[in-house]
Every structure is written in C-alpha cells, then in structure tokens.
Amino acid sequence: MPATPVLFVSDHVAGSVQVLTVPDGAVVGRLTGRHLSEHAGFLALPGGRTACVDDRRGELLVLNPYAGELVERAVPVAVPAEHLACDPSGRRLAVTTGLGGNGAPWSDLLTVVDLATGEAARVRTRVGEPGVTVLGDDEPLVVLRHREPGALAVHRFADLLAAPPGCPPVTPHAILPLPDDGHGDAQVPGSQQVFAATGEGVHRARRRGDALAAEAVVPWGSPARGWYLRLDTRRQALWSTLRGGDPDPLRWPEWSNQAWHHDLRTGRTRLTDLGPGLVFRLALARRHTAFSRIHPDGDELVLLGADGVVRRSPLPAMDGAPRRGGTPWEGVQRRAVAASPGSDWVAVTRGGHGEVHLVDAESGQEAARPRLGTPLHHGGHLALRVPDDGADGDPVGR
C-alpha cells in the first residue's frame, strides 16, 4: 500500500509546525515553539524527510514524518536563515544568512553541515542576501549567488567544513561575474549545472573541476522577469513566475503574471498568462503546476496542466488581504501553496484564518479544508511530501 501523502504546515509567526495526512487533514505530528524561516523554506531530502531552519532557536531541523520521532536531527546554525540547499545525496547542507526582520542585510555568516558525521562549521562570506547551491556528491562545491556586485562565488565544501572556530572569513576559490540583480536559484544535479535568475534572463553555468564555466543565458522571452526559479524533477524543466508592469508596490493589482516554463532537453520556452495581481511561488504536482493569485477582485488557485490547459478555482477572501492603495508585503495576509511530484493533491493556505484548502488537481475540486488552530499569519509556509516522490531531486529549499 503506498504511503500516505503528508503536509507540513508552518505558522512561523505563532511558532508551530503541524503535520497533516492528505487528503483527510488529520494531524499526525506537531511541534510548538518553532519559528521556521519562511524565506529559507522547506528542503526535500530522500525518504520523505524535510529540512528547515528554526530562526528563533538557530537550528537546522531534519523532520521525518514517517518515523517514530518527528525531529530526526537538530543542528545549530547561524540565523536569520536566508537560503537553504543540499548536495544531490541530501547529506551535505548549506545555510546562508541575510535580512531576517531587519531593514537591511547585516549578517555574513554561512553554515555548512554534514548530516552523516554530525560535523558543522560557520564562516564569514559577504553581507547580502545570498542564494546557495551545493554541486556534486563527490568533493562538492558550495556556490553562493551574491548581489551588488553580482557574482557566483565558489567554495569547496570540504574547506568550509574544516574551518577553525571563531567564524573566520573565507575567500572564494573561484568567481563568475553575474548581473547585480540576481534573485532565484536552481541546479540540475546530474549535469552539475547551476542557474540564477536576473533581469537579463536565466544565467547558466556548469561545473568545471573546482570552478564554473558560463553558458548561454536563457532569455525570459517577455518584458517581465522572474524572481524565483524552480527545477521540475518530473520532466527536467525550469519554472518561474514572470512579473511585469510598474514596479511600484502600490500598483500591485495591475502587475502582470506569466508562468515561465523552460524545457532543459529541447531548449523551448513556454509562457502562460496567469492574470493580474500578486503571484509568486509555485508548486509542482504529478501532472500540474499550481499557483495562487491574489487580487482585490478575487483570489484563485491556478492549475496549469502538462497539456497547457489552465483551470481556475476561486478561493474565499482573506480578512486583512492586500488592498488597492497599499502594498502586498507589509502587514497583510497572503497564501502559501504546496504539492508533491508524486501526488495529485495541492494545498493552499488562507492566511489569517488558519485554513488550508486541499484540492484535487485533476478535478480542481476541494476535498477538505482543515483548520489548524493558529492564524497562519502571512500565509504560513507549506511542504507536501510522499516517500520516493522525487522531490529531493531539487536540492534547493523552497
């Protein structure tokens, strides 16, 4: 009998993590006093496990919902966590620090962890909001994506792990220039390719020994740009959401949104209109890609099928949702969305209401709407896992 899909639901404001079975919504695990980094997100590990960072306690958590104890491992790391990634085996992890609750980036600490040995080390890199990928199972490289000035900075994982105490500064082994506005990271484990989203398009580089060799930039094919990249482990493709229009946050109801799909095997790019408003992160189900769209005229879950067919399911309004004349970021409620490439279920939150909509992507129908007992302020954060669903083929936290 196949394992039941499980949904991790984090209320990072209230400080709780709950694990629900899908689609019945039964709570089978709960952590309290855990304020997870919404920005670093959840990182899929082999065997249905998931990694995340507790920003208040300063711990990397490895969660296993299919074991007797939910917390399999807790390792001290530097916070506030900005991005989280691992090597393709899921053994070696890296956590960058950045903004947190501050008005400007202030921490330059990077933590690397070897889950097999329990070793961990902290070093100083460069203040900013760096993205991170970990390339290769044998002698892996930690690649930091910096901004202003933009660069892909390459470090040997073994060198970082061997750093002495005291958080010493480290110098990159190699540097590849990048535009200053990079935001969004992905890697393809088999080819040891790394990707970074910029205003120009998606910059590509491939590992060459202990350095990176630049490859041709993939254009967006639109006047808009993507701020988020995700590897599709089902069909070897990259996904993003392109945001266009006046960048003024007060004009957010007029922003355009397109689903950007780039097939890595054929090199073809497909754009699909999602509608105006706020669309950001996406989720990959077995045969659909899911987006939540927020707009003053009504929110919806958008399901884009592999055949290109778009299905739109209305979502009930949120009290405290972004409104015309305000920004979509400060003091408002939002939505999180999650799916697993091994399942047809999609989950989307109703921020401020503590509700999660569980939707069958094949029909677009809602099957359940569990209430969590916490508000899920800012929409919370989600991850949907099934053992051996292939989600760990994307070794970047989401």
Side-chain angles (χ1 to χ4, degrees), residues 193-196 200-206 213-219 262:
Q193 278 183 298
V194 63
F195 302 86
E200 295 178 1
V202 178
H203 285 249
R204 301 185 295 181
R206 191 184 300 266
E215 298 184 333
V217 176
V218 181
H262 179 75

Side-chain angles (χ1 to χ4, degrees), residues 207-360:
R207 180 174 180 172
R208 291 285 184 266
D210 284 348
L212 295 175
E215 298 184 333
V217 176
V218 181
W220 294 120
S222 167
R225 69 156 289 182
W227 298 90
Y228 176 81
L229 271 184
R230 185 156 194 175
L231 175 68
D232 187 340
T233 62
R234 310 162 302 179
R235 287 177 283 276
Q236 288 299 291
L238 294 176
W239 285 90
S240 186
T241 303
L242 308 191
R243 180 184 302 155
D246 190 327
D248 181 355
L250 296 178
R251 305 290 296 274
W252 73 270
E254 304 165 23
W255 286 345
S256 66
N257 298 280
Q258 297 169 297
W260 183 85
H261 172 269
H262 179 75
D263 191 313
L264 292 168
R265 296 164 299 186
T266 66
R268 297 194 182 104
T269 299
R270 183 180 71 195
L271 297 174
T272 305
D273 181 61
L274 299 174
L278 179 65
V279 181
F280 186 47
R281 289 172 173 157
L282 56 93
L284 301 169
R286 182 153 40 204
R287 286 180 286 270
H288 293 80
T289 303
F291 309 80
S292 67
R293 186 176 72 88
I294 298 174
H295 193 273
D297 295 336
D299 297 356
E300 60 184 11
L301 174 66
V302 183
L303 297 169
L304 174 56
D307 55 3
V309 175
V310 176
R311 179 184 291 114
R312 300 175 183 273
S313 301
L315 295 170
M318 298 180 291
D319 295 336
R323 301 187 184 281
R324 288 187 173 90
T327 80
W329 313 123
E330 288 82 22
V332 294
Q333 301 297 347
R334 293 187 292 275
R335 301 184 186 274
V337 63
S340 162
S343 168
D344 292 316
W345 295 108
V346 172
V348 59
T349 62
R350 188 183 183 200
H353 295 260
E355 294 180 346
V356 179
H357 306 274
L358 297 175
V359 177
D360 181 351

Side-chain angles (χ1 to χ4, degrees), residues 7-11 16-18 36-45 49-53 61 63 84 230 281 338 380-385 394-398:
L7 179 70
F8 295 89
V9 185
S10 164
D11 188 327
S16 74
V17 182
Q18 299 184 56
L36 302 191
S37 168
E38 188 269 343
H39 199 277
F42 288 104
L43 171 65
L45 298 177
R49 300 175 303 148
T50 299
C52 51
V53 177
L61 302 178
L63 307 180
L84 167 65
R230 185 156 194 175
R281 289 172 173 157
H381 202 54
L382 302 176
L384 204 157
R385 290 302 317 272
D394 176 7
V396 178
R398 307 296 181 184

Side-chain angles (χ1 to χ4, degrees), residues 2-7 20-24 66 340 342-343 345 384-387:
T4 302
V6 298
L7 179 70
L20 285 61
T21 52
V22 176
D24 62 293
Y66 300 101
S340 162
S343 168
W345 295 108
L384 204 157
R385 290 302 317 272
V386 181

